[in-house]
Amino acid sequence: MSFTIDDELWSAVGDPIRRRMLDLLLTDGGGTSTTLSARLPVTRQAVAKHLAVLDRVGLVHVTPSGRERLYAVDEAQLARAIAQLSSVGATWDARLRRIKRIAEAIQRNQES
Amino acid sequence: MSFTIDDELWSAVGDPIRRRMLDLLLTDGGGTSTTLSARLPVTRQAVAKHLAVLDRVGLVHVTPSGRERLYAVDEAQLARAIAQLSSVGATWDARLRRIKRIAEAIQRNQES
DNA sequence: AATTGGAGCAACCAATGGTTGCGCATGATG
DNA sequence: CATCATGCGCAACCATTGGTTGCTCCAATT
């Protein structure tokens, strides 16, 4: 039980386009809806919507500069998202291992 | 670039309900749409649709038994999904660390 | 044979990710 | 200074998806 995970955060990084956006923002150190859309297979408007989602969950923050709106990754929040990802992965991993252990125990029992 | 990630697999585990379903299937060792829906905040039909999604990407498999259809987690496929999760996490983590390193280097430069 | 209960199917609804088209404001250019 | 052009936001619209209800069907139990 007890999903320590923040569903909003997860679903924010659940979208493949948003993951690529985070990737671009990380490697380029920032970007606008226009610059991002130039490197993605979707329109500027779609990118803007995604940026709004990422902004809502705090994964990016924006700094207006003239007529541009420059977005950059919030590193602390991304770190939290990463932690939650690996947390769920670890949980499942542990369960899989437990199942395997039990299965092996049963097999040992049957052999004896 | 090169997203080694299988978007279908990711988006399958991207849904919070489906994650909880996988969780239940893992802990209980299997279940049907009816038994799962009893422990989830959605209807049997919704669960059935989710099971169809999980089945399509191979995260679960079904064994008909009488009038029931028993679903269980495909451990190998789940293991692959976990690997991809942690892979993306590791990538981002590395990028964050690199950024931090660069930032520190700059700061050291400015101090000198 | 009648009843019960699990599962599938269809219609429908809301939210989301995508598009196009437009207007607006601000920075660059003559 | 006037004009051009560009970056952005807003609105309407469409397709897909996750959810519901209502029904039928089929197999197990009694």
Side-chain angles (χ1 to χ4, degrees):
Chain A
M1 265 313 103
S2 85
F3 259 123
T4 58
I5 227 206
D6 181 352
D7 280 350
E8 289 233 328
L9 236 187
W10 184 299
S11 83
V13 299
D15 186 285
I17 293 282
R18 286 197 283 265
R19 278 198 304 281
R20 294 184 62 182
M21 285 172 58
L22 288 174
D23 224 50
L24 288 173
L25 288 176
L26 274 180
T27 53
D28 299 358
T32 69
S33 53
T34 307
T35 65
L36 285 176
S37 68
R39 312 179 60 181
L40 288 171
V42 291
T43 60
R44 174 183 63 83
Q45 283 80 351
V47 170
K49 289 187 189 178
H50 284 303
L51 282 172
V53 172
L54 291 176
D55 189 56
R56 262 204 354 247
V57 301
L59 277 170
V60 302
H61 55 258
V62 62
T63 51
S65 150
R67 66 179 164 186
E68 293 190 349
R69 294 174 61 78
L70 188 65
Y71 288 85
V73 173
D74 183 309
E75 306 182 11
Q77 189 73 347
L78 181 58
R80 274 173 55 189
I82 294 172
Q84 298 183 340
L85 287 195
S86 56
S87 151
V88 170
T91 302
W92 283 343
D93 213 47
R95 297 237 170 100
L96 285 182
R97 253 198 294 278
R98 239 195 40 177
I99 288 169
K100 212 170 178 183
R101 237 182 33 230
I102 292 172
E104 288 169 356
I106 290 172
Q107 197 166 5
R108 270 197 306 278
N109 256 11
Q110 287 178 338
E111 285 172 356
S112 71
Chain B
M1 270 320 92
S2 85
F3 259 124
T4 58
I5 226 203
D6 181 351
D7 281 349
E8 289 234 326
L9 237 188
W10 184 298
S11 83
V13 301
D15 185 285
I17 294 282
R18 287 198 280 266
R19 279 199 302 280
R20 295 184 61 182
M21 284 172 57
L22 287 173
D23 224 49
L24 289 173
L25 288 177
L26 274 180
T27 54
D28 300 356
T32 69
S33 55
T34 307
T35 65
L36 285 175
S37 68
R39 311 180 59 182
L40 289 171
V42 292
T43 60
R44 175 182 64 81
Q45 283 80 352
V47 170
K49 289 186 187 178
H50 283 303
L51 283 172
V53 172
L54 291 176
D55 190 54
R56 260 202 357 243
V57 301
L59 277 170
V60 302
H61 54 258
V62 61
T63 51
S65 149
R67 64 178 165 189
E68 293 190 347
R69 293 174 61 78
L70 188 65
Y71 288 85
V73 173
D74 183 311
E75 306 182 11
Q77 189 72 349
L78 181 59
R80 275 173 53 188
I82 294 171
Q84 298 184 340
L85 287 194
S86 55
S87 151
V88 170
T91 301
W92 282 343
D93 214 46
R95 297 238 169 99
L96 285 182
R97 250 196 297 277
R98 240 196 39 179
I99 289 169
K100 212 171 179 183
R101 238 183 32 231
I102 292 172
E104 288 169 356
I106 290 173
Q107 196 164 7
R108 269 197 307 278
N109 256 10
Q110 286 177 337
E111 285 172 357
S112 70

